[in-house]
Amino acid sequence: MEMGNQHPSISRLQEIQKEVRSVEQQVIGFSGLSDDKNYKKLERILTKQLFEIDSVDTEGKGDIQQARKRAAQETERLLKELEQNANHPHRLEIQNIFKEAQSLVSEKIVPFYSGGNRVADEFEEGIQDVILRLTRVKTGGKISLRKARYHTLTKICAVQEIIEDCVKKQASLPLSEDAHPSVAKINSVMCEVNKARGTLIALLMGVNSNETCRHLSCVLSGLIADLDALDVCGHTEIRNYRKEVVEDINQLLKYLDLEEEADTTYAFDLGQNHSILKIEKVLKRMREIKNELLQAQNPPELYLSSKTELQGLIGQLDEVSLEKNPCIREARRRAVIEVQTLITYVDLKEALEKREVLPCAEPPSLGAVWTVLGSLSEIQGQVLSFDGSRTDKNYIRLEELLTKQLLALDAVDPQGEEKCKAARKQAVKLAQNILSYLDLKSDEWEY
């Protein structure tokens, strides 16, 4: 039916659907919680449109009834997705971890800027643990979860940077006020900057409801203006001191833009990140080498060239820029483990074949360790080929096989032989590493 001949009710439904679709991407990408202002705004818009749809008169006509039903279903789908995004178990997990970081900041950092002596070691350890746990929250590729994890990590890593930068600079600042009359003013400004630093941390972590980013930005800009008004001509040391304090202020101003920047960029989507693409390229080549080794009829011919290339891949991973992003750091760490595991596999294969070619007299206990190592080599090959989850029967089977090898090693009596003790210790470590690698392959982590 041409637009000019459409029934007014159909035209009205199309107008409503247009309004609904205008907020669809906001709903899909919503990364907040159900008590956020934006959640309530989107919920209000969609609920209003549902009422509008319900008020459309169908006049008993089947085509209009179907159109109204489809419009209502589409709106209800978005309302449901909005609710799911805000209450997703992994979104709540992110929030719970963030609350732990808030407690750390309230207990350890805010007092520090109120006259405390130094940042407690517990804070550094605690915040590092929080960052590590956040990087391992599963998002399943869901945009809302990726954004939530990225926003939270961005804030916590910013706080970590602010603290580290402040602690580094404490030894060199301030200058003695006897050097020049302007030094007293610069020192005074620096004290205000320290207070602002504490306020900024509290703002980033949501533990200060009495301050706003806009007001803090005005305060910091005013401090820069005060510093610019000082006459320090001919005093290089004082000019450099002022410059250092101005740089500190500018850095704090950049942190104030974090929230807006996170909402206006796609930095949370690491799929197209340059560093991640480099890591993926290395992993692709590693998998090709792995398949060649596992499928080769005469693997020993490939050992030397494969190990050389794998060592080169480790070098490439070392050159990957982390961009101060914990998720990229975690992706690189896992990639290094993948490559190193394959190198270990080749090393063990070589050692076992060399032992067969050049047999020598050895204590029975050492022979028992080598027997376990032979079994571990076979199991490691299966683990390298494994591609599943922890609920798979094959995962459980491999886990049991590795546990049996650990028990077999525990039963070996070295009888005081140092060589046997060292060999058993290395074999235990290898078995534990293979178990850890199996866990890593099956934990369904993604960036």
Side-chain angles (χ1 to χ4, degrees):
M1 192 180 290
E2 293 180 10
M3 289 293 291
N5 299 324
Q6 271 190 162
H7 191 284
S9 294
I10 293 289
S11 298
R12 178 62 188 137
L13 285 170
Q14 288 178 343
E15 289 173 7
I16 294 170
Q17 283 181 293
K18 188 176 178 182
E19 289 290 325
V20 170
R21 286 168 187 156
S22 69
V23 298
E24 183 173 12
Q25 290 307 310
Q26 293 180 55
V27 171
I28 292 170
F30 179 75
S31 59
L33 299 164
S34 55
D35 56 355
D36 290 358
K37 287 182 181 178
N38 203 29
Y39 178 92
K40 297 184 187 306
K41 175 187 170 187
L42 290 169
E43 185 182 44
R44 190 166 57 250
I45 290 170
L46 292 170
T47 304
K48 179 186 175 185
Q49 298 310 321
L50 266 181
F51 285 130
E52 292 288 339
I53 291 167
D54 193 52
S55 69
V56 171
D57 185 5
T58 63
E59 299 177 6
K61 294 182 179 179
D63 58 337
I64 301 177
Q65 288 174 344
Q66 286 299 314
R68 188 174 73 173
K69 183 180 178 182
R70 285 194 298 272
Q73 287 174 339
E74 184 178 355
T75 308
E76 286 168 353
R77 177 184 64 81
L78 287 179
L79 268 170
K80 186 178 179 181
E81 182 162 1
L82 178 66
E83 184 181 357
Q84 287 176 339
N85 285 350
N87 296 288
H88 193 286
H90 292 161
R91 177 65 188 92
L92 299 178
E93 181 185 358
I94 290 169
Q95 184 61 18
N96 288 335
I97 296 173
F98 183 63
K99 284 180 179 178
E100 289 182 35
Q102 286 180 313
S103 297
L104 273 171
V105 167
S106 297
E107 293 172 17
K108 310 294 183 185
I109 297 304
V110 174
F112 171 70
Y113 286 106
S114 303
N117 292 326
R118 61 187 296 273
V119 179
D121 291 338
E122 303 97 275
F123 171 79
E124 294 178 13
E125 293 168 5
I127 213 73
Q128 200 57 50
D129 176 65
V130 163
I131 290 170
L132 184 61
R133 285 161 56 204
L134 277 172
T135 61
R136 293 178 179 174
V137 172
K138 297 178 180 67
T139 65
K142 196 172 174 66
I143 291 175
S144 60
L145 290 176
R146 282 186 171 186
K147 284 180 73 174
R149 185 177 68 176
Y150 174 77
H151 286 186
T152 308
L153 275 169
T154 300
K155 292 175 184 177
I156 296 174
C157 288
V159 169
Q160 190 181 41
E161 285 177 24
I162 293 167
I163 297 300
E164 287 176 355
D165 190 52
C166 174
V167 171
K168 285 176 188 174
K169 290 184 176 180
Q170 275 184 340
S172 61
L173 298 176
L175 287 179
S176 168
E177 294 185 6
D178 297 334
H180 190 274
S182 298
V183 172
K185 179 60 179 176
I186 300 174
N187 286 346
S188 172
V189 169
M190 194 183 69
C191 290
E192 293 301 316
V193 171
N194 280 334
K195 291 179 185 175
R197 193 177 277 114
T199 303
L200 173 59
I201 290 172
L203 275 172
L204 288 171
M205 297 303 295
V207 295
N208 184 348
S209 58
N210 300 320
E211 184 61 273
T212 64
C213 290
R214 179 173 293 182
H215 179 257
L216 183 58
S217 177
C218 291
V219 169
L220 291 170
S221 299
L223 293 177
I224 290 179
D226 290 343
L227 291 173
D228 286 342
L230 295 176
D231 181 12
V232 292
C233 292
H235 297 82
T236 305
E237 185 182 10
I238 299 168
R239 189 164 61 246
N240 289 338
Y241 177 31
R242 181 179 69 176
K243 181 182 177 184
E244 198 171 340
V245 177
V246 168
E247 286 173 355
D248 279 355
I249 297 172
N250 283 327
Q251 189 61 44
L252 296 182
L253 284 167
K254 286 181 182 178
Y255 287 122
L256 283 171
D257 296 331
L258 279 178
E259 196 69 26
E260 182 181 349
E261 180 185 328
D263 284 325
T264 57
T265 67
Y266 287 90
F268 64 86
D269 185 5
L270 292 175
Q272 298 304 312
N273 179 275
H274 179 67
S275 295
I276 290 293
L277 291 175
K278 284 184 73 174
I279 293 170
E280 288 293 341
K281 184 179 178 182
V282 168
L283 287 174
K284 182 182 177 184
R285 181 54 192 148
M286 184 277 299
R287 293 184 189 110
E288 290 171 354
I289 296 171
K290 178 180 71 176
N291 292 334
E292 289 168 9
L293 285 166
L294 295 176
Q295 296 168 13
Q297 293 187 354
N298 190 12
E301 294 180 353
L302 300 173
Y303 288 162
L304 181 59
S305 60
S306 296
K307 279 175 64 177
T308 303
E309 189 170 357
L310 288 168
Q311 292 290 357
L313 294 181
I314 291 284
Q316 290 180 38
L317 289 171
D318 287 341
E319 294 171 0
V320 170
S321 170
L322 300 180
E323 302 175 21
K324 295 183 179 180
N325 189 316
C327 289
I328 297 176
R329 186 186 300 119
E330 176 68 6
R332 188 181 70 172
R333 183 189 73 84
R334 296 168 84 94
V336 168
I337 291 173
E338 292 263 10
V339 180
Q340 284 178 335
T341 301
L342 191 52
I343 292 173
T344 303
Y345 172 75
V346 175
D347 283 340
L348 182 55
K349 282 289 186 186
E350 281 185 316
L352 289 165
E353 288 175 14
K354 184 179 178 181
R355 185 171 177 273
E356 283 185 13
V357 174
L358 301 169
C360 60
E362 60 190 15
S365 55
L366 187 57
V369 173
W370 275 107
T371 300
V372 174
L373 284 170
S375 299
L376 285 174
S377 178
E378 295 303 314
I379 298 169
Q380 189 176 27
Q382 296 177 50
V383 171
L384 284 166
S385 301
F386 177 75
D387 185 21
S389 69
R390 293 176 185 173
T391 57
D392 291 358
K393 289 182 179 179
N394 199 26
Y395 173 89
I396 298 168
R397 182 183 68 82
L398 290 168
E399 191 177 41
E400 288 176 352
L401 285 173
L402 288 164
T403 303
K404 284 180 181 178
Q405 301 311 312
L406 281 168
L407 291 172
L409 287 168
D410 192 51
V412 172
D413 182 5
Q415 297 178 340
E417 288 282 343
E418 292 300 322
K419 193 173 182 181
C420 182
K421 284 182 181 178
R424 187 179 70 168
K425 185 177 179 181
Q426 286 183 327
V428 168
K429 186 177 179 181
L430 174 63
Q432 290 171 338
N433 286 343
I434 297 172
L435 262 173
S436 297
Y437 178 64
L438 179 62
D439 283 341
L440 181 138
K441 287 197 75 174
S442 57
D443 68 0
E444 301 174 6
W445 183 83
E446 82 297 309
Y447 42 77

